[in-house]
Amino acid sequence: MDGNDFPTLQWFPGHMKKAQGLIEGNLKLVDIVIEVLDARIPSSSQNPLLKKIIGGKPRLIALCKSDLADQKFTAAWIDHFRAEGSTAVAVDAVKGVGIKQLLAAAKKIAEPATHKLVKHGGKPRAVRVMIIGIPNVGKSSLINRLSGGSHTKIENRPGVTRAKQWIRLDGGLELLDTPGILWSKFDDQEAALKLSWTFALNDEIYDLERTVCLLLETLSKKYPSGLLERFKLDEPLPTVGEILIESIGRKRGCLKKGGAVDVEKTTRLVLTEFRSGKLGRITLDPIEENDIK
């Protein structure tokens, strides 16, 4: 994609400031941070300021929505994070895939902190975690899965205000439930575009038709089979977004009175099909080819 083609997408940096303060103010209360990323866009869904915010706090990466991502790329991203010194686990929170591995990894990473507490005379306790992530990467689904959907709140802890509660999770973990989300101003418009495709951004804040055209152009190059099979398109597959929308609209009968294609209806159809995984397992963030096994 040519950077000049990107529609300008922006968010509200005030959200980031509030969330950053909440995270920084409560990091000392947890043993580990679980960062939730969208497995389809592991780089684009990662806040660039996170490392600075959490400092030396142990971190575990949950690559959620892995059922929607290209498996070979997910494996490559896990290896990539491992090479950087971080543990990453592929998770499908809706079906519970990867949850046991995530819990085991969290406990292992938190061992130095929990063992240190006992060594200095403290009582053994559950591993305390903070789960962070930008909108719609799977954070809520992960918390629901880990808590069994009950969100059982337990007593207040010393040093924690009444506005913050601990939630008991499966596997001997406790989650510090803090309001707000981690976000940032978008300096990378390509990343912002991918966030719009995956619904991390509200559809009302950008030019829907233009962004869907760019999505279709990307898919026609990287995952053409999904478009061909799902929409019954003819080969050779067009590579221009506007032409693809026209073709898909006609194949699906998204027509206005008089026979013209209903572009808005078609673009929303494409987004729904993509976001639900009906176009196949797709990863949009590239990684070095030699990292793919």
Side-chain angles (χ1 to χ4, degrees):
M1 290 180 292
D2 185 341
N4 293 325
D5 291 336
F6 298 158
T8 300
L9 304 176
Q10 205 50 266
W11 199 237
F12 304 101
H15 288 187
M16 174 59 192
K17 185 176 181 180
K18 179 180 178 182
Q20 180 175 338
L22 287 167
I23 292 170
E24 290 176 335
N26 291 285
L27 272 175
K28 62 182 179 182
L29 303 175
V30 301
D31 303 310
I32 180 176
V33 170
I34 297 180
E35 181 186 10
V36 181
L37 304 179
D38 187 323
R40 296 169 295 178
I41 49 171
S43 177
S44 298
S45 60
Q46 186 173 44
N47 190 301
L49 298 179
L50 179 62
K51 290 182 180 180
K52 179 179 179 181
I53 293 172
I54 70 172
K57 183 67 66 174
R59 178 183 66 149
L60 171 62
I61 297 171
L63 291 171
C64 284
K65 302 190 179 185
S66 62
D67 57 310
L68 302 177
D70 190 324
Q71 292 168 295
K72 66 179 181 293
F73 283 102
T74 298
W77 274 107
I78 289 174
D79 290 341
H80 170 81
F81 286 122
R82 184 185 297 118
E84 288 188 337
S86 298
T87 299
V89 178
V91 174
D92 174 2
V94 176
K95 295 182 180 178
V97 177
I99 295 298
K100 289 183 179 179
Q101 295 92 322
L102 188 74
L103 290 170
K107 290 179 180 179
K108 182 177 181 180
I109 293 172
E111 277 181 359
T114 55
H115 287 180
K116 182 179 180 181
L117 178 69
V118 175
K119 183 178 179 180
H120 286 81
K123 294 182 179 180
R125 59 164 174 76
V127 173
R128 296 176 181 173
V129 304
M130 178 187 293
I131 300 180
I132 61 176
I134 65 174
N136 208 35
V137 290
K139 178 172 175 272
S140 296
S141 296
L142 178 59
I143 293 174
N144 285 335
R145 172 63 64 173
L146 291 172
S147 64
S150 64
H151 278 60
T152 304
K153 292 187 177 182
I154 53 184
E155 71 273 14
N156 290 334
R157 301 298 190 187
V160 183
T161 68
R162 292 183 180 273
K164 305 180 187 67
Q165 298 285 335
W166 293 89
I167 297 175
R168 183 175 288 117
L169 306 179
D170 288 343
L173 272 69
E174 292 177 1
L175 166 68
L176 179 59
D177 184 23
T178 56
I181 53 175
L182 181 63
W183 200 250
S184 69
K185 183 178 179 180
F186 296 138
D187 294 321
D188 184 344
Q189 286 296 304
E190 183 174 0
L193 184 62
K194 293 173 183 177
L195 291 170
S196 72
W197 293 339
T198 58
F199 202 37
L201 297 180
N202 191 305
D203 287 341
E204 305 305 317
I205 72 168
Y206 55 86
D207 183 336
L208 192 67
E209 181 183 347
R210 184 62 193 137
T211 54
V212 171
C213 281
L214 290 171
L215 171 61
L216 286 170
E217 289 173 8
T218 299
L219 296 180
S220 70
K221 296 173 184 176
K222 296 185 176 181
Y223 294 94
S225 61
L227 294 178
L228 289 167
E229 293 170 12
R230 184 64 184 174
F231 298 122
K232 310 301 181 185
L233 300 176
D234 300 321
E235 295 189 79
L237 190 67
T239 57
V240 178
E242 289 81 0
I243 298 177
L244 280 164
I245 287 178
E246 179 80 13
S247 300
I248 292 169
R250 295 202 174 278
K251 286 288 186 178
R252 283 297 183 88
C254 299
L255 305 176
K256 295 180 178 180
K257 188 175 181 179
V261 169
D262 187 329
V263 173
E264 181 179 359
K265 184 176 181 180
T266 305
T267 54
R268 292 192 180 279
L269 169 69
V270 170
L271 275 181
T272 299
E273 301 273 271
F274 165 72
R275 290 168 177 171
S276 62
K278 292 180 180 178
L279 302 185
R281 302 181 65 145
I282 294 168
T283 297
L284 296 167
D285 273 344
I287 195 165
E288 294 298 327
E289 290 295 329
N290 56 12
D291 287 337
I292 303 172
K293 299 178 181 179

